[in-house]
Amino acid sequence: MPRRQPFPVGLERSPSSQEMAASAAAVPMPRSFKLLDELDMERMGKNPFGVSLGLMDEDDTAMGQFTGSIIVPAGSSGLVDRFLSLTVIPPPDYPVAAPTLRFNSKVNIPGVVDASGAVDPRRVPKLAAWTPTSNIVEALAELQQIARNAPSAQPRDGETY
């Protein structure tokens, strides 16, 4: 008696839940979904203390520019109790590629280009090791940590690039 095929010829078996999870992890979330998810986290108050993210223009359906802010808490070295403003630009291939971050507030911290306020992604570990599961708030929180240990010589509070 010939051995039966486990599935009819031409039909494949359904993928297991592990195979489906691995496949889902390999496909990054679409840009707009990821950005909306990050905005929802902000609205629900789930971001770390002193870090926020919002659309620069609430009517910008393309979600081209965001404003980020960092509050450097008391007990920090050079940037005591400072409110720092940033411009965040997610590229078209976000979340596969890291966003561009630029300080609007003048700061003297490692990884920030003096002349423009641009953040050098190679000098910020979260940006240097960016993956599609990373998010903007994590990068802002890391910049907040870097700012906590900033040198004591800082531009005057309120100066901008």
Side-chain angles (χ1 to χ4, degrees), residues 22 24 36 43 46 66 71 73 76 100 103 115 126 131 144:
L36 287 171
R43 289 185 186 116
K46 295 189 176 183
F66 289 76
I71 297 173
S76 301
T100 299
F103 276 91
K126 191 64 179 172
T131 68
Q144 180 188 44

Side-chain angles (χ1 to χ4, degrees), residues 42-64:
E42 175 69 31
R43 289 185 186 116
M44 291 187 284
K46 295 189 176 183
N47 288 346
F49 175 77
V51 175
S52 69
L53 179 70
L55 273 171
M56 193 165 286
D57 176 5
E58 289 293 325
D59 295 328
D60 179 11
T61 57
M63 294 184 276

Side-chain angles (χ1 to χ4, degrees), residues 62-83:
M63 294 184 276
Q65 284 193 338
F66 289 76
T67 183
S69 62
I70 298 171
I71 297 173
V72 184
S76 301
S77 52
L79 291 165
V80 179
D81 292 330
R82 292 257 188 122
F83 176 86

Side-chain angles (χ1 to χ4, degrees), residues 124-141:
V124 178
K126 191 64 179 172
L127 295 173
W130 190 266
T131 68
T133 59
S134 302
N135 66 55
I136 296 167
V137 170
E138 291 171 348
L140 293 174

Side-chain angles (χ1 to χ4, degrees), residues 90-103:
D93 56 346
Y94 182 83
V96 174
T100 299
L101 303 176
R102 187 181 63 78
F103 276 91

Side-chain angles (χ1 to χ4, degrees), residues 22-46:
S23 173
V27 177
M29 185 183 295
R31 179 182 188 276
S32 59
F33 289 11
K34 176 79 170 176
L35 291 169
L36 287 171
D37 186 50
E38 292 188 49
L39 287 172
D40 282 344
M41 296 299 283
E42 175 69 31
R43 289 185 186 116
M44 291 187 284
K46 295 189 176 183

